């Protein structure tokens, strides 16, 4: 596996931080068996040995992107960051877990998070994702697991939190009919740059609202274009949606996550909202992905975005999980 012979890891200076009764340190190659042997009984998604081993091999997880908390010489918590295989820094914090004897998991979790954020330095904004079941709010153990991670995220350096709903469908699910009132045409990057800014007006997406408020429409469009260009998938699949008279109504960006075909972005221009075009756009993306041989398609939207949630359900998607997203 690639991670076993990364000579630069052996030269990496250990990073430690003693906080009262526990110590935070960056993991090394010698810690891989410890990271793999970890377990978690809380009702949240966590990275088990099989997945960790596989993605250490692909370099999506790495020892130097992992952090361990120790108390009296014993490991009591770990944090695993995920990134693209060719990246210089991670993109998301996927897993923060503690052992059952930790009395204040939010305090240890905050220290783990802060250590990672400090070490990875300036760059694209990082996220911390906590995945729970769709009915998590009705389960006391799930509520507690979300609570302490939320407090750890805020104390550790993440300032915003959004609840998002994840959906998935397969090629065996009923396929929505293709639009008869829109046509889909290729367009250059500058056209999509303009559209990213235009659809931000009146959006229900919390991330977009926040970025526009902080940095403005131009910065949002720059960031969106760079981000979606960086995702796996075919740039040639991006399409502008036009009415039959040639008027632009919206756009679609069908790409991929690291694992599945994805409903990455669709947008309806403000002046064309209220006519149900979201269903046409989503149906086209389903056809694009299944037509290229993809069996599973995933998508995510803010829990507060009820129109988009309804569109997913109408297009044959089912809820798979709720994701609590903490952002810088």
């Amino acid at each position: 596996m690639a991670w076993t012979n990364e000579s630069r890891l052996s030269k990496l200076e250990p990073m430690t931080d003693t906080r009262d009764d526990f110590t935070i340190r960056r993991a090394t190659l010698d810690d891989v068996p410890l990271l793999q042997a970890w377990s978690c009984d809380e009702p949240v998604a966590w990275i088990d040995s099989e997945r960790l081993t596989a993605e250490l091999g692909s370099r999506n997880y790495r020892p130097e992107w992992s952090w361990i908390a120790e108390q009296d010489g014993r490991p009591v918590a770990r944090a695993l960051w995920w990134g693209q295989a060719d990246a210089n820094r991670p993109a998301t914090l996927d897993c923060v877990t503690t052992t059952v004897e930790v009395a204040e998991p939010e305090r240890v979790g905050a220290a783990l998070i802060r250590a990672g954020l400090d070490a990875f330095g300036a760059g694209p904004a990082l996220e911390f994702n906590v995945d729970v079941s769709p009915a998590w709010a009705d389960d006391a153990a799930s509520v507690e697991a979300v609570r302490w991670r939320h407090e750890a995220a805020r104390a550790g350096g993440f300032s915003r939190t959004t609840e998002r709903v994840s959906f998935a469908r397969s090629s065996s699910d009923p396929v929505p009919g293709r639009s008869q009132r829109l046509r889909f045409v290729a367009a250059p990057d500058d056209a999509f740059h303009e559209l990213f800014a235009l659809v931000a007006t009146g959006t229900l997406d919390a991330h977009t609202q926040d970025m526009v408020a902080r940095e403005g429409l131009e910065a949002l469009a720059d960031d969106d274009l760079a981000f979606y260009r960086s995702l796996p998938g075919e740039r040639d699949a991006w399409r502008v949606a036009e009415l039959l008279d040639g008027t632009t109504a919206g756009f679609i960006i069908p790409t991929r996550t690291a694992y599945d075909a994805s409903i990455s972005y669709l947008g309806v221009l403000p002046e064309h909202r209220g006519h149900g075009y979201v269903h046409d756009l989503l149906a086209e993306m389903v056809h694009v992905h299944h037509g290229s041989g993809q069996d599973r398609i995933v998508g995510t939207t803010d829990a507060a975005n009820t129109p988009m949630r309804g569109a997913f359900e109408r297009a044959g998607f089912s809820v798979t999980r709720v994701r609590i997203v903490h952002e810088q």
Side-chain angles (χ1 to χ4, degrees):
M1 296 183 182
W3 53 268
T4 61
N5 56 16
E6 286 291 318
S7 59
R8 56 192 173 87
L9 295 188
S10 63
K11 300 176 183 177
L12 194 65
E13 287 295 324
M15 298 184 65
T16 60
D17 180 10
T18 301
R19 316 243 179 151
D20 299 329
D21 55 337
F22 59 89
T23 298
I24 304 296
R25 65 178 179 85
R26 189 201 295 262
T28 68
L29 286 175
D30 291 339
D31 292 308
V32 167
L34 166 63
L35 297 174
Q36 292 169 318
W38 202 266
S39 63
C40 175
D41 293 329
E42 291 180 285
V44 298
W46 60 283
I47 309 305
D48 63 14
S49 178
E50 181 178 2
R51 180 177 170 189
L52 179 60
T53 299
E55 297 200 42
L56 284 169
S58 66
R59 289 181 51 76
N60 294 116
Y61 292 114
R62 304 179 198 177
E64 72 268 33
W65 287 354
S66 306
W67 297 84
I68 297 170
E70 294 179 330
Q71 192 170 43
D72 299 327
R74 294 178 296 104
V76 295
R78 73 168 190 181
L80 303 177
W81 293 78
W82 181 96
Q84 296 288 347
D86 59 353
N88 294 322
R89 70 197 292 270
T92 61
L93 175 57
D94 273 2
C95 186
V96 176
T97 56
T98 68
T99 56
V100 294
E101 65 263 30
V102 174
E104 298 178 278
E106 60 271 30
R107 189 165 66 91
V108 180
L112 285 168
I113 291 167
R114 172 52 61 195
L117 292 179
D118 287 347
F120 300 136
L126 302 170
E127 293 183 353
F128 170 30
N129 297 325
V130 180
D131 291 344
V132 288
S133 74
W136 73 273
D138 297 322
D139 175 67
S142 297
V143 170
E144 171 59 18
V146 169
R147 179 204 66 79
W148 78 252
R149 287 172 173 83
H150 173 76
E151 293 188 12
R154 290 303 176 95
F158 291 101
S159 60
R160 294 180 295 115
T161 302
T162 304
E163 182 175 340
R164 294 175 63 79
V165 182
S166 295
F167 294 83
R169 59 163 289 129
S170 74
S171 55
S172 62
D173 293 317
V175 179
R178 227 161 186 164
S179 178
Q180 300 300 306
R181 56 183 182 160
L182 295 176
R183 62 190 181 199
F184 295 86
V185 299
D189 283 358
D190 58 355
F192 282 97
H193 186 278
E194 180 180 1
L195 289 169
F196 284 133
L198 290 174
V199 299
T201 299
T203 182
L204 297 176
D205 182 79
H207 171 79
T208 301
Q209 292 174 344
D210 180 77
M211 188 163 186
V212 170
R214 289 186 293 112
E215 302 184 40
L217 286 172
E218 189 70 15
L220 169 77
D222 290 344
D223 185 73
D224 280 349
L225 183 60
F227 174 74
Y228 290 104
R229 285 300 306 261
S230 74
L231 294 179
E234 299 297 328
R235 168 61 178 85
D236 290 345
W238 297 20
R239 291 290 184 270
V240 171
E242 296 180 344
L243 303 180
L244 299 184
D245 64 3
T247 302
T248 298
F251 64 95
I252 60 172
I253 299 181
T255 64
R256 292 186 59 81
T257 69
Y259 310 100
D260 299 295
S262 174
I263 304 298
S264 293
Y265 200 147
L266 62 81
V268 179
L269 295 180
E271 62 269 28
H272 295 292
R273 291 172 186 161
H275 303 288
Y277 290 125
V278 62
H279 303 294
D280 302 64
L281 300 178
L282 185 53
E284 182 66 16
M285 295 176 84
V286 169
H287 280 273
V288 168
H289 279 315
H290 286 327
S292 66
Q294 303 299 317
D295 175 57
R296 176 178 164 86
I297 308 173
V298 300
T300 304
T301 190
D302 289 359
N305 191 343
T306 52
M308 192 65 226
R309 292 176 65 177
F312 274 122
E313 292 166 0
R314 177 171 163 174
F317 287 77
S318 299
V319 176
T320 57
R321 67 186 178 192
V322 167
R323 167 164 285 181
I324 312 297
V325 181
H326 304 285
E327 300 175 276
Q328 289 181 289

